Amino acid sequence: MLKLFCTPEEQLSWEDRFRSGGLGYGEVKKAIYEKFMDRFGAARRRRIELDKQPEYVESVMLRGAEKAREVGVPLVKQVRDAAGIPNPG
């Protein structure tokens, strides 16, 4: 787990501490949690904020779907034409 969040130098330090003994699981678990929160804490806080705004999230998703259709529908038509597959209506 530490490899996911630590620099190579930090990994070597943890490895040295592990090999020398006396390193407790709780200490490693706390370090992993702190590294995780350093990397993902802001996104987790934003997710909590968005949970409280379902109407906003829905509106963003609807706008995104419309933009995707604007690009996707003509592209699918072009691909179907190129493949010789009739386009519906």
Side-chain angles (χ1 to χ4, degrees), residues 5 22 54 56 79:
F5 299 105
Y56 170 73
V79 169

Side-chain angles (χ1 to χ4, degrees), residues 1-19:
M1 289 289 290
L2 287 168
K3 286 182 180 183
L4 296 173
F5 299 105
C6 293
T7 65
E9 295 80 20
E10 290 172 318
Q11 290 175 38
L12 287 174
S13 174
W14 281 104
E15 185 177 328
D16 289 344
R17 291 186 63 203
F18 174 75
R19 292 188 189 287

Side-chain angles (χ1 to χ4, degrees), residues 6-76:
C6 293
T7 65
E9 295 80 20
E10 290 172 318
Q11 290 175 38
L12 287 174
S13 174
W14 281 104
E15 185 177 328
D16 289 344
R17 291 186 63 203
F18 174 75
R19 292 188 189 287
S20 65
L23 180 62
Y25 177 70
E27 185 179 352
V28 175
K29 197 162 89 170
K30 182 179 176 185
I32 291 170
Y33 175 78
E34 289 171 1
K35 291 286 188 179
F36 177 87
M37 290 307 290
D38 286 347
R39 178 142 336 142
F40 298 111
R44 289 170 56 90
R45 287 187 292 277
R46 180 65 176 141
R47 172 70 164 84
I48 290 168
E49 291 174 19
L50 291 173
D51 267 347
K52 298 173 187 172
Q53 304 174 47
E55 300 85 15
Y56 170 73
V57 172
E58 182 71 19
S59 71
V60 169
M61 291 174 63
L62 289 172
R63 283 194 313 266
E66 182 57 37
K67 287 181 181 180
R69 272 191 291 283
E70 288 172 9
V71 172
V73 169
L75 180 61
V76 169

